[in-house]
Amino acid sequence: MTHDHDLVLRPTARQTEAALNPPPGRTGGDLVVETLAGLGATTVFGLPGQHALGMFDALRRSSLRYVGLRVENNAGFAADAYGRITGEAAPLLLSTGPGALMSLAALQEAAAASAPVLAIGSQVPVAGLGGGRRGYLHELRDQQASFRDVVKSVHTVRTASQIPSAVAAAWQSALTAPHGPVWVEIPQDVLAAGTSLPVVTPVDAFPDELAPRPELTAVAAHLLANAERPAIIAGGGVVRSDAAGKLLALAERVQAPVVTTFGGKGAFPWEHPLSLQSWLEDRHTTEFLEDADVLLVVGSGLGELSSNYHTFAPRGRVIQIEADLGKLESNHPALGIHADARLALSALLETVEARPDAEAPARVRTVLDRVRERIDGQDLALERRVLAAVRDALPDDAPGFWDMTILAYWAWSAFDARRPNTMHSAQGAGGLGYAFPAALGAAAADPSRPVLAVSGDGGAMYSIAELATARQYGFDVTWLIVDDGGYGILREYMNDAYGEATGTELVRPDFVALAESFGVPAVRTTPEALRDDLAKSLAAPGPSVVVLPALLRMFAPTHL
């Protein structure tokens, strides 16, 4: 009897000859890029630095496409978006010390949003490792320690022969549910030294499957089929695992109304009769979910934003499907199913019995009518008109990337993401400056459709340097900057809490003139002209900027 572990792939004579006679001039850096190519990578992001030059020199001998940004954190945001759009691990090449540390905020967002980013950073030469103070440029006592609290896994290399295995292990970790960023570090001298090791051949690093336990899905299926008032909360895990189709099929089979979290936008059709949309900061929605006798939570940890700021108190039985073990039952007791969302929903669909409920769509309409009535009473016509203009201008399949700005806060609740995996924001970790560099990463991932970025003037200043990147690569990205003269959402928070805002008012440039100085076309628009100006910019090839001077306000949330 033959077992898989007994199989040995015998090299052909040609492969043996090639292994015995590797091409001259290769270094440890070549082993890095050869391994990435062997794993299936086609594009890498990053920024060169002194200790990492061995990797960057090797790029010119490889088939990998390099997309260089101007700030490491922005390169991390671009890699994050590439990973979200493609579902592949996005390599991010960084240097030691300051270059590495500059990426931490982006890697935190990737971790919060489960975006697969494979960050590979250099280190000081081997002689300087181990906590000493040899005085090397960029030296840290323990560089790995800065990343351990952020990434899924840390992988270290000390010799050239360790490079392929370490990179492959990191790749597998990044793509195993829950997806996330990983960190690999390689000393400068290992990257720069010549190697006679054979060229790395295609590498197998398949992610581990996280399948549900069948006894748990059997109980979940029974609960859903026999519920009187089931409901579903669909989180970002549904999007990351490409499970929107499974979710739709299950919701229709058991006639369960569905709310999508802000990270799960697009996971369920917005206008579906069972869609409660995304009005999570509304007490009408919260009360409806609290009244469910069986609540299925898929791909969400029910954190602060998804639980209406922890005011959500379910009274029925909760079933939670979550790939991140640390989030399982972390906020509410539940029948916890540790599994990838797609595999768990597939298992439920195999066993759950249909549950007819002709009244479910009417209950959904009642909730949405109450939400609409509440918003109608708040004199927010400008904000709604601006958001509608963005929706009308953006093609249904075009991805949008939203910074932490008032218009994005509106979009979390009120924007119709008409396709799965098309609306992305920095709400996972909440850092500024995400939208524009992330949009560049999405354009690198899929040049067949335009990409929208939305920022406030405060967040835009984090990413101005990337106008040069957009121009250099000719990415089809339109950047909408809503200019309200400061950190608008923080202004509102401080005014509400303290009666006066401090540190929120900003001097800012003429964004139109600034964009044009980079060779990027730009236009200043109005709420009335926004739809047409955005549509025109999105249809034109290459990067563009649309500036909307407007003072937008948030709708009043209801937590109590």
Side-chain angles (χ1 to χ4, degrees), residues 422-496:
T422 57
M423 182 178 169
H424 306 271
S425 73
Q427 55 89 203
L432 279 175
Y434 172 79
F436 188 55
L440 300 181
D446 183 1
S448 69
R449 50 188 178 169
V451 184
L452 174 68
V454 180
S455 299
D457 57 288
M461 291 302 294
Y462 280 65
S463 311
I464 288 297
E466 305 311 337
L467 284 167
T469 303
R471 182 73 178 85
Q472 180 171 342
Y473 294 98
F475 288 136
D476 293 337
V477 174
T478 293
W479 192 7
L480 172 61
I481 301 174
V482 182
D483 184 357
D484 67 1
Y487 299 121
I489 194 65
L490 298 179
R491 179 193 291 139
E492 284 210 14
Y493 286 163
M494 293 193 77
N495 281 328
D496 289 346

Side-chain angles (χ1 to χ4, degrees), residues 30 74 79 85 255 281 413 533 540:
D30 287 274
N74 293 337
I85 293 297
Q255 286 296 292
E281 290 188 65
S413 293
D533 285 339

Side-chain angles (χ1 to χ4, degrees), residues 389-402:
V390 175
R391 177 62 280 174
D392 288 346
L394 187 66
D396 288 358
D397 64 343
F401 290 82
W402 302 71

Side-chain angles (χ1 to χ4, degrees), residues 321-383:
I321 296 169
E322 176 56 57
D324 187 337
L325 188 60
K327 293 180 180 178
L328 199 64
E329 293 192 73
S330 61
N331 287 306
H332 297 281
L335 174 68
I337 302 176
H338 183 216
D340 174 78
R342 182 179 178 85
L343 297 179
L345 290 173
S346 295
L348 284 175
L349 283 168
E350 289 176 1
T351 56
V352 72
E353 296 180 4
R355 176 193 164 277
D357 185 351
E359 300 301 318
R363 294 200 302 273
V364 168
R365 286 194 302 272
T366 298
V367 174
L368 294 179
D369 286 345
R370 289 172 177 169
V371 172
R372 191 173 299 109
E373 181 180 354
R374 186 176 72 83
I375 299 299
D376 286 344
Q378 294 187 28
D379 189 24
L380 296 165
L382 171 63
E383 290 77 6

Side-chain angles (χ1 to χ4, degrees), residues 490-515:
L490 298 179
R491 179 193 291 139
E492 284 210 14
Y493 286 163
M494 293 193 77
N495 281 328
D496 289 346
Y498 307 110
E500 186 175 350
T502 303
T504 60
E505 305 314 297
L506 302 173
V507 171
R508 67 275 192 205
D510 180 337
F511 287 107
V512 171
L514 184 58

Side-chain angles (χ1 to χ4, degrees), residues 516-551:
E516 289 175 341
S517 75
F518 284 91
V520 175
V523 62
R524 185 172 288 101
T525 190
T526 64
E528 294 74 23
L530 176 59
R531 184 220 172 273
D532 291 341
D533 285 339
L534 260 187
K536 182 178 178 181
S537 295
L538 286 162
S544 58
V545 171
V546 177
V547 180
L548 173 67
L551 184 61

